[in-house]
Each structure stands twice: as structure tokens, then as C-alpha cells.
Amino acid sequence: MGVMNKLMNFFGLENEEYVEEYVEEDREQEAPPKKNGQKSSAGSNVVSLHAARDREGIRLMLFEPRHYSDAQDIADSLRNRRPVVVNLQRVENDQAKRIIDFLSGTVYALNGDIQKVGEQIFVCTPDHVDIQGTISSVIVEE
């Protein structure tokens, strides 16, 4: 090992090693089917991320913020791809408006959706959750 290589290793500038990954083809075609038409599980220890998430289910988060600083926790849940219901009844109106503005920007950045579902209650969803239908508010004047 030369002096130049030792210096490069010391400063962390060593030659990077390339790691090659090989993907084996699915061997289910080679294995004969089991009884009742089931496929063999030999070599099928790879699980799709979407399938794993579907098995766990989607967790709906409920938030009732008291301060504007709680908006970051709500945005973190959205970033983690969890739909959120936000109840703003315990927040002052100016703080509620700031929270909704912050969440609107978060939802926009995540290609999600935000809808009002009640008096000061909002549903924020990431891009993989669709909201269907609308809730109309009925104003009763006496």
C-alpha cells in the first residue's frame, strides 16, 4: 500500500467499492404447484412494501391542537403517510387560521387533500388516500 493510498484512507477519500446486487428470477415457475393449486413458497421471502403496509392497515390520526406549535406534529403524521383529522375547536381563531395555512402547504407539498368536514374540523390526507363525497353545512335561521 502506497503513501498516497494511506493518506487517502486517512482523510476518508479512499476509492469507493462498488456493490453489485443480483436479483434472482422468481422460481415459482420451476417448482410444481402444491395441492389445491397453491404455489410453492420456496425462494419467495421477498414481500412488497405496499403489501406489508396493506396488511397493517391505515392508521387515522386524530389531533386537537391547543397551540400553533402543535401543527408540526400534525404535519409529521402526514409526512409519514397517515391521514389526519384535526379538531380546531380548542384553538383561538387566529391560531386556527395559521394552523390550516400551515397544513394546506404541507398537504400541497405531499400531493394530498384537505377538506372541511364540520365546524372547525378538517380532514387532511396524503396522496395515497382519496376522499370521496362532500359534507354540506346547513344553516338554520330562526
Side-chain angles (χ1 to χ4, degrees):
M1 184 180 220
V3 174
M4 188 65 153
N5 287 338
K6 287 183 181 179
L7 284 173
M8 289 180 71
N9 286 340
F10 179 75
F11 289 111
L13 300 174
E14 61 193 38
N15 292 335
E16 295 182 14
E17 295 181 19
Y18 293 101
V19 178
E20 294 183 23
E21 295 181 13
Y22 295 100
V23 178
E24 294 183 23
E25 292 184 23
D26 194 12
R27 295 181 188 229
E28 289 182 356
Q29 296 174 354
E30 297 173 12
K34 291 183 177 182
K35 295 179 184 177
N36 299 332
Q38 295 177 349
K39 294 182 179 179
S40 172
S41 63
S44 63
N45 58 353
V46 176
V47 178
S48 168
L49 291 176
H50 298 291
R53 184 178 63 225
D54 290 342
R55 279 189 231 144
E56 294 174 6
I58 295 176
R59 182 177 298 157
L60 177 68
M61 304 298 290
L62 304 175
F63 285 95
E64 198 168 56
R66 310 238 174 172
H67 306 284
Y68 175 73
S69 60
D70 296 336
Q72 187 172 3
D73 294 332
I74 301 169
D76 288 340
S77 289
L78 286 167
R79 266 191 14 210
N80 291 328
R81 300 179 57 86
R82 292 189 181 119
V84 173
V85 175
V86 182
N87 182 358
L88 297 172
Q89 292 177 349
R90 295 187 182 221
V91 177
E92 295 179 20
N93 286 340
D94 62 329
Q95 296 288 311
K97 188 178 272 190
R98 289 181 63 201
I99 290 171
I100 291 302
D101 288 344
F102 184 82
L103 293 177
S104 295
T106 302
V107 166
Y108 177 78
L110 297 172
N111 294 323
D113 191 17
I114 185 170
Q115 284 192 5
K116 186 174 184 177
V117 294
E119 185 67 30
Q120 296 183 333
I121 299 175
F122 294 84
V123 174
C124 305
T125 58
D127 61 345
H128 72 284
V129 178
D130 291 329
I131 298 176
Q132 294 182 349
T134 58
I135 296 178
S136 60
S137 60
V138 178
I139 300 174
V140 179
E141 294 184 18
E142 294 181 13

